[in-house]
Amino acid sequence: SAIAGGNVTSDGGMSVTERGVVYSTNSNPTTSNSKVTSGSGTGSFSVNLTNLVEGTTYYVRAYATNEKGTAYGNQVVFTTFETHEYVDLGLSVKWATCNVGASKPEEYGDYFAWGETQPKSTYNWTTYKWCRGNSDTQTKYNTNSSFGTVDNKTTLELSDDAATANWGGSWRMPTKAEQDELREQCTWTLTTQNGVKRYKVTSKSNGNSIFLPAAGRCFDSSLHYASSEGCYWSSSLYADAPRCASVLDLLSGGVIWNGFPRCQ
């Protein structure tokens, strides 16, 4: 769904008999395409666009009609988010069935530096969004002046959250506390799913489970430790060194906490 609208500022000397929004998957929609009406006359209005298709780009224009004809506003373009399934493990939050960028639990998905919302070709301090080229020049999410500008932000804002940016809705990355809950209130079993290694995570309370693959991690222009290590960001800054963020590290010998450089 989406909310759209417009503002009829002039009727051209003849009463506006109909106004609303037209939309289509093709550019420059008209009243012959899908439309939602919103009364008549001048002034601002808004409408709800419902039953939209997920992962689809729509073109939208406001319109107003009087005896002289129909006038259209500027075109607005938006893309609906794709919906994703989740698993209820009986914890404080629900968990997605797969990684961002994946369509199956065993797929690695996309890779994101901490606090960035798009994949890229090179992962290091020179390409990191929230610094000035090295680890000691952080510009956001910093509690220590030795590492750059201090703002005392310790949890990712939703605008910098890869799950929120790519999936929308109420999706977000888990906090360290929520990952702790996953680690402590579930049974972690080393397994292979469709040829991919790492952990089946089964709730101790209701028996539901998710699969977390050993997707490795990126630095510079290469993927490292895939199939042997799974590195899952939390949304929490690493308290002891704010150039790092807290990560759940899935090793063959167990699941541990780590602080990894945010640029990776």
Side-chain angles (χ1 to χ4, degrees), residues 7-171:
N7 183 20
V8 182
T9 58
S10 174
D11 60 13
M14 305 189 76
S15 297
V16 172
T17 56
E18 182 178 294
R19 65 186 189 184
V21 167
V22 293
Y23 63 100
S24 173
T25 55
N26 297 313
S27 61
N28 297 317
T30 68
T31 52
S32 62
N33 298 115
S34 298
K35 71 175 182 178
V36 180
T37 61
S38 181
S40 59
T42 58
S44 60
F45 62 91
S46 64
V47 300
N48 293 318
L49 309 182
T50 60
N51 298 316
L52 304 178
V53 179
E54 65 182 67
T56 301
T57 298
Y58 286 91
Y59 301 85
V60 182
R61 294 199 292 178
Y63 77 92
T65 299
N66 63 15
E67 290 185 12
K68 292 184 177 180
T70 298
Y72 296 94
N74 294 332
Q75 179 170 270
V76 175
V77 183
F78 70 89
T79 300
T80 53
F81 288 112
E82 295 185 12
T83 57
H84 291 271
E85 296 180 350
Y86 62 84
V87 176
D88 184 355
L89 298 172
L91 306 177
S92 62
V93 294
K94 309 291 194 302
W95 288 81
T97 57
C98 61
N99 290 330
V100 175
S103 58
K104 300 177 182 178
E106 64 271 15
E107 291 181 354
Y108 291 167
D110 293 329
Y111 295 83
F112 304 90
W114 192 82
E116 295 185 357
T117 59
Q118 294 297 322
K120 55 188 181 181
S121 59
T122 303
Y123 295 77
N124 57 36
W125 291 117
T126 63
T127 66
Y128 184 55
K129 181 178 181 179
W130 301 116
C131 78
R132 297 189 180 95
N134 62 68
S135 62
D136 297 332
T137 59
Q138 306 299 317
T139 59
K140 191 175 183 180
Y141 305 108
N142 185 28
T143 58
N144 188 327
S145 59
S146 297
F147 300 104
T149 304
V150 172
D151 59 8
N152 290 316
K153 295 179 185 293
T154 59
T155 303
L156 281 179
E157 296 177 348
L158 293 182
S159 58
D160 303 322
D161 188 303
T164 306
N166 288 275
W167 285 354
S170 57
W171 288 105

Side-chain angles (χ1 to χ4, degrees), residues 188 198-199 212-213 228-232 248-252 254-255:
W188 294 66
R198 211 34 90 229
Y199 283 98
L212 296 178
S228 64
E229 185 175 336
C231 307
Y232 287 84
L248 196 60
D249 200 358
L250 281 54
L251 307 173
S252 59
V255 181

Side-chain angles (χ1 to χ4, degrees), residues 188-209:
W188 294 66
T189 306
L190 281 171
T191 188
T192 300
Q193 181 165 309
N194 293 329
V196 178
K197 298 178 180 179
R198 211 34 90 229
Y199 283 98
K200 180 180 180 181
V201 185
T202 305
S203 169
K204 294 177 182 178
S205 63
N206 64 19
N208 293 337
S209 65

